[in-house]
């Protein structure tokens, strides 16, 4: 993986898109990332998304719909299990999934030095 | 003090609060007007998003929908919450990073095409007006039920309030009124639910009450009891569905993808300062939404149980007073088929259609109907909305709770209406005017046009509320189907598929759109009689067809993009840039 920015290479063009409502972001020491670094970051993000969306699918479409009859054979506190996943359980898991994503993607952001925190100091490697 | 007086006072106070907030948060620039200056705290935005999202339908109807559909009602619960996972993981952060004002902005720039932008504007305006008509109608209905004014007058008052804070404050005014509206709404929803839960199970937490024993000495838990009672009356058990599995699956998918693609929800994430705030904000929004959506199924089960318990085999003369109150406005009707003076409730419709009262009173004092009776033992007509609206009376709560429910219903309707109207006015003044037709206008002029567009949109919405098109209920399927089949795939592909080009995206959007629209129009408007599971393609109902439309969109987009010109390099660079939250530049080799 290429970690160094290559400003000084004559064949490289640095792109910044413009917009009327660009988000605020931190001042990083290194304002230019290589294409490879972006690719690696994106691979890590997509991997995380796949895991979380598998859980998302399993609790709602899996437990709540496809396997509902099978799970309904089990009953806890008068709640048939499949029915509980469809009307309560899946919603709780959805909430947890979003906060887990926020935490884990934040960690990946810092690892790759692309987080939007106000200071660059909480990036890995610069931590005390 | 009468209940009505109290209702006037509570509703008046909340309206004064909304207007006060509007005056305090006037918009000074287009950035204020479109995205509240992009300085909204993620928690505040989460609350505003929840109010934006939960409409009059969520507040008034969802408990009743579940109460009468049982397991089949799960599609709404999972669909309207699971969409936030898609939004938080797949769309919101990247759209925030893109850093413009609207959804058509993204589609137009990402696919380097003003045609794509215009297609997106058309979808968006259609979706928003479909929705807004229902909200304005909801405002009118709440006014007429609780304050006994004409529906038309109610709509005018609602319009005046929305006009005031949407035109004056734009997104800034809307954001902070939505926070207040969320608080009113959730308090008004949870309070009766807690009391009803205590009444039925003795457990004050509705979500736990749903798994507790019913306090009638039977030793059965709520859902066991409900299954038993319903089976005895000839219904299918509450916890079993009657819809086919494929239909439940596809409807849930449409509602999830549609939620994630609805423009008035997406635009809320443009108001937070940073990308990481957009992610957090989606999480907070879902917490606030889940509070209502996990309470609703509990309220539904309690209300259905209590309703049957109170009404079935009760002499009409001895029925509680709320039965008569709601009969007066046509949400309940009783047809004494076997002429024994006692109300019998069973499966099947008591008579054809909604009750049409002939004006006279029967021998027991009931309002007589002229509808053709149907051949079954059921004598009761009951509107599903009653499960929420009448819950304070069913549980014998003091009049202020009823006043609160009225204010909550209005808060739910107004907050959603305002959010939708703002999106419409933004896409007219910004996407159509500034970015397409007249790029030379100044910011000041643009702001003026935005206010003007908001004013026109409010008036048009009011018109729809007073003269509702007869098909409001049917077009809701349309709104979600279109969002799922057009906007959601276009945005998703724009972020996750770097090589997706203009030709692919436009062909995909159009084919998804046309397929979904044609299927819905055929079964809902052209030939409604044929709309039965036997005739549906693969057994998928018009409500669920958007998920197939979405698959078609993806398939067409990939195929077409393979055989047409490559995406230009600067657009690929834009995609890379949007994927990185820090705003650092990306170096591209040539």
């Amino acid at each position: 993986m290429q970690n160094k920015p290559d400003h000084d290479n004559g064949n490289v063009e640095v792109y910044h898109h413009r917009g009327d409502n660009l988000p605020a972001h931190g001042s990083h020491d290194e304002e230019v990332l290589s294409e490879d670094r972006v690719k690696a970051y994106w691979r890590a993000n997509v991997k995380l998304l796949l895991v979380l969306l598998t859980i998302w699918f399993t609790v709602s479409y899996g437990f709540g719909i496809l396997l509902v009859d099978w799970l309904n054979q089990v009953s806890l506190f008068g709640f048939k299990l499949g029915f509980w996943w469809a009307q309560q359980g899946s919603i709780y898991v959805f909430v947890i999934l979003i906060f887990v994503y926020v935490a884990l993607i934040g960690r990946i952001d810092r690892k790759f030095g692309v987080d939007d925190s106000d200071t660059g100091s909480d990036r890995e490697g610069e931590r005390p | 003090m009468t209940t009505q007086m109290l209702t006037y006072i509570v509703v008046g106070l909340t309206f004064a609060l909304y207007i006060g907030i509007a005056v305090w948060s006037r918009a000074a620039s287009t950035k204020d007007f479109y995205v509240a200056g992009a300085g909204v705290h993620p928690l505040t935005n989460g609350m505003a998003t929840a109010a934006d999202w939960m409409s009059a339908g969520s507040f008034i109807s969802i408990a009743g929908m579940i109460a009468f559909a049982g397991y089949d009602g799960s599609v709404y619960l999972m669909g309207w919450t699971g969409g936030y996972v898609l939004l938080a993981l797949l769309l919101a952060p990247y759209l925030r990073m893109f850093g413009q004002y609207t959804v058509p902005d993204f589609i137009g720039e990402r696919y380097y095409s003003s045609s794509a932008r215009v297609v997106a504007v058309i979808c968006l305006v259609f979706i928003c007006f479909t929705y807004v008509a229902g909200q304005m109608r909801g405002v009118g209905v709440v006014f007429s039920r609780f304050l006994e004014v004409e529906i038309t007058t109610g709509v005018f008052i609602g319009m005046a309030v929305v006009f005031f804070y949407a035109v004056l404050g734009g997104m800034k005014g809307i954001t902070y009124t939505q926070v207040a509206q969320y608080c009113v709404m959730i308090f008004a929803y949870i309070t009766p639910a807690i009391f009803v839960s205590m009444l039925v199970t003795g457990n004050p937490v509705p979500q736990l009450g749903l798994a507790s024993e019913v306090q009638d000495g039977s030793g059965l838990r709520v859902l066991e009891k409900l299954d038993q009672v319903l089976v005895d009356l000839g219904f299918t058990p509450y916890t079993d569905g009657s819809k086919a599995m494929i239909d439940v699956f596809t409807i849930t998918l449409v509602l999830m993808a549609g939620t994630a693609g609805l423009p008035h929800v997406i635009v809320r994430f443009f108001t937070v300062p940073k990308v990481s705030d957009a992610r957090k904000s989606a999480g907070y929004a879902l917490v606030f939404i889940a509070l209502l959506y996990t309470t609703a199924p509990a309220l539904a089960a309690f209300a259905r149980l209590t309703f049957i318990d109170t009404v079935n085999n009760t002499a009409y003369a001895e029925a509680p007073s709320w039965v008569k109150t709601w009969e007066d406005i046509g949400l309940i009707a009783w047809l004494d088929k076997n002429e024994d003076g006692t109300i019998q409730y069973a499966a099947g419709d008591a008579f054809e259609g909604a009750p049409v009262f002939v004006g006279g009173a029967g021998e027991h004092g009931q309002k007589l109907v002229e509808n053709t009776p149907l051949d079954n033992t059921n004598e009761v007509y009951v509107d599903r909305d009653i499960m929420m609206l009448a819950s304070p009376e069913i549980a014998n709560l003091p009049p202020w709770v009823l006043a609160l429910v009225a204010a909550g219903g209005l808060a739910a309707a107004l907050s959603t209406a305002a959010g939708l109207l703002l999106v419409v006015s933004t896409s007219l003044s910004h996407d159509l005017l500034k970015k397409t037709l007249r790029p030379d206008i100044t910011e000041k002029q643009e702001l003026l046009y935005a206010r003007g567009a908001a004013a026109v949109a409010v008036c048009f919405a009011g018109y729809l509320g007073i003269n509702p098109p007869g098909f409001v209920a049917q077009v809701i399927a349309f709104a979600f189907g279109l969002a799922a089949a057009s906007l959601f795939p276009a945005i998703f592909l724009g972020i996750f598929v770097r090589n997706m080009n203009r030709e692919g995206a436009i062909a995909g959007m159009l084919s998804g759109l046309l397929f979904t629209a044609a299927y819905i129009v055929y079964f809902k408007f052209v030939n409604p009689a044929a709309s039965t599971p036997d005739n549906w393609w693969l057994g998928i109902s018009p409500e669920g067809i958007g998920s197939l439309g979405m698959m078609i969109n993806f398939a067409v987009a990939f195929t077409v993009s393979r055989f047409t010109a490559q995406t230009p390099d600067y657009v690929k660079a834009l995609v890379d840039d949007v994927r990185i939250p820090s705003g650092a530049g990306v170096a591209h080799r040539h």
Side-chain angles (χ1 to χ4, degrees), chain A residues 17 21 25 31 33 45 64 116, chain B residues 71 94 96 98 276 577 585 587:
Chain A
H17 83 274
N21 183 26
H25 55 80
E31 284 290 336
L33 302 165
N45 180 29
D116 59 4
Chain B
Y71 168 75
Y94 314 106
R96 180 68 196 92
F98 174 67
S276 53
D577 217 24

Side-chain angles (χ1 to χ4, degrees), chain B residues 16 73 89 129 163 251 265 282 302 309 359 362 377 393 411 419 421-422 454 466 480 500 504 542 559:
Chain B
L89 270 54
F129 273 123
F163 188 91
I251 295 176
V265 176
F302 302 146
D309 205 39
T377 54
E393 293 159 292
L421 291 170
L422 187 92
I466 294 167
F480 279 92
M500 183 50 63
T559 315

Side-chain angles (χ1 to χ4, degrees), chain A residues 11 13 15-17 21 23-25 31 33 41-42 45 56 61 64-65 77 79-80 86-88 109 114-116, chain B residues 38 70-71 94 96 98-99 211 221 239 253 256 270 273-276 279 294 577 579 582 584-585 587-588 590:
Chain A
N11 294 327
E13 194 175 279
Y15 174 84
H16 273 287
H17 83 274
N21 183 26
H25 55 80
E31 284 290 336
L33 302 165
Y41 167 75
W42 192 247
N45 180 29
W56 164 82
Y61 297 94
I65 298 175
F77 301 104
F79 240 124
K80 290 181 186 169
Q87 298 215 337
Q88 296 277 309
D109 283 353
V114 298
D115 59 292
D116 59 4
Chain B
Y71 168 75
Y94 314 106
R96 180 68 196 92
F98 174 67
R221 300 198 183 252
T239 50
L253 191 59
M256 284 197 192
F270 295 172
K274 293 191 293 185
V275 174
S276 53
R279 296 174 187 146
T294 54
D577 217 24
R579 288 174 174 184
S582 70
H588 292 271
H590 289 281

Side-chain angles (χ1 to χ4, degrees), chain B residues 118-467:
Chain B
V118 173
V119 171
V121 170
I122 293 170
C123 290
L124 180 149
V125 170
F126 183 83
I127 293 169
C128 290
F129 273 123
T130 306
Y131 239 85
V132 117
Q135 304 311 315
M136 279 306 180
R137 192 70 188 163
V139 171
V141 168
V142 171
F143 265 106
S144 71
R145 279 177 205 169
F146 291 97
L147 300 170
E148 292 176 19
V149 297
E150 286 287 306
I151 287 194
T152 313
T153 319
V155 172
F156 274 124
I157 300 171
M159 266 170 69
V161 175
V162 172
F163 188 91
F164 200 76
Y165 68 74
V167 174
L168 204 64
M171 187 55 121
K172 204 170 159 201
I174 287 175
T175 302
Y176 296 103
T177 32
Q178 278 175 338
V179 171
Q181 282 159 339
Y182 176 78
C183 298
V184 172
M185 184 197 317
I186 202 69
F187 187 57
Y189 203 85
I190 304 281
T191 311
I194 289 175
F195 282 107
V196 177
S197 180
M198 297 252 282
L199 189 80
V200 176
T201 66
N203 192 325
V205 182
Q207 288 85 341
L208 298 177
L210 195 49
S212 307
E213 276 179 25
V214 183
Q215 285 189 316
D216 61 352
S218 67
L220 290 173
R221 300 198 183 252
V222 174
L223 292 168
E224 293 166 347
K225 171 90 181 173
L226 195 52
D227 275 353
Q228 192 193 58
V229 169
L230 287 178
V231 171
D232 286 349
L233 294 175
F235 291 94
T236 46
Y238 190 77
T239 50
D240 285 349
S242 49
K243 279 193 164 91
M245 188 181 281
I246 184 161
D247 209 19
V248 174
F249 192 98
T250 51
I251 295 176
T252 308
L253 191 59
V254 167
L255 296 179
M256 284 197 192
T259 302
L262 280 179
H264 70 294
V265 176
I266 292 178
V267 78
R268 285 240 50 102
F269 294 94
F270 295 172
T271 66
V272 294
K274 293 191 293 185
V275 174
S276 53
D277 292 335
R279 296 174 187 146
K280 275 184 231 157
S281 198
Y284 293 133
L286 190 56
V287 170
F288 294 126
I289 292 167
L291 213 52
L292 192 147
Y293 275 62
T294 54
T295 308
L299 186 62
F302 302 146
R304 184 91 191 264
L305 200 56
T306 318
F307 177 79
I308 296 173
D309 205 39
T310 322
V311 166
N312 189 32
N313 287 326
T314 304
Y316 180 82
E318 285 157 28
S321 65
W322 56 263
V323 173
K324 284 142 198 161
T325 324
W326 293 96
E327 186 185 14
D328 279 344
I329 47 174
L331 292 193
I332 290 184
W334 174 54
L335 179 67
D336 197 6
K337 286 183 185 167
N338 57 3
E339 295 175 351
D340 62 351
T342 302
I343 306 170
Q344 268 94 27
Y345 180 59
D349 292 333
F351 45 72
E352 281 174 9
V356 181
F357 297 111
V358 289
E363 59 172 318
H364 308 285
Q366 82 271 30
K367 292 177 82 178
L368 293 172
V369 292
E370 61 177 23
N371 305 56
T372 320
L374 291 171
D375 190 24
N376 56 40
T377 54
N378 183 26
E379 302 180 338
V380 184
Y381 167 88
V382 52
D383 189 291
R384 61 186 188 192
D385 288 355
I386 207 168
M387 290 294 143
M388 169 57 203
L389 294 175
S391 61
E393 293 159 292
I394 294 178
N396 261 324
L397 300 181
W400 62 265
V401 182
L402 203 65
L404 201 61
V405 168
L410 288 172
L414 292 178
S415 57
T416 308
L420 289 161
L421 291 170
L422 187 92
V423 168
V424 172
S425 72
T426 308
S427 59
L428 294 182
S429 65
H430 184 74
D431 289 308
L432 225 47
L433 211 59
K434 174 79 182 175
K435 293 280 172 136
T436 315
L437 299 174
R438 290 187 52 195
D440 54 329
I441 54 173
T442 64
E443 201 204 307
K444 224 173 166 181
Q445 282 172 311
E446 194 187 339
L447 183 59
L448 196 67
Y449 281 120
R451 289 194 208 273
V456 172
V458 171
C459 294
F460 186 60
Y463 172 79
L464 288 177
I466 294 167
N467 307 297

Side-chain angles (χ1 to χ4, degrees), chain B residues 91 103-104 106-107 111 116-128 253-254 257-263 266 477-494 500 504-517 520 545-554 557:
Chain B
L91 310 183
V103 172
F106 177 78
I107 306 243
Y111 297 118
R117 184 192 291 265
V118 173
V119 171
V121 170
I122 293 170
C123 290
L124 180 149
V125 170
F126 183 83
I127 293 169
C128 290
L253 191 59
V254 167
T259 302
L262 280 179
I266 292 178
F478 231 148
F480 279 92
L482 291 189
S486 61
L487 296 178
F488 176 75
I491 303 171
F492 173 80
L493 292 172
M500 183 50 63
I506 295 180
M509 268 205 282
L510 288 179
S511 49
L513 205 63
L514 289 177
F515 170 79
T516 310
I520 296 178
I545 201 65
S547 47
L548 219 56
M550 180 166 81
M551 300 304 162
I552 291 176
N553 183 334
F554 281 127

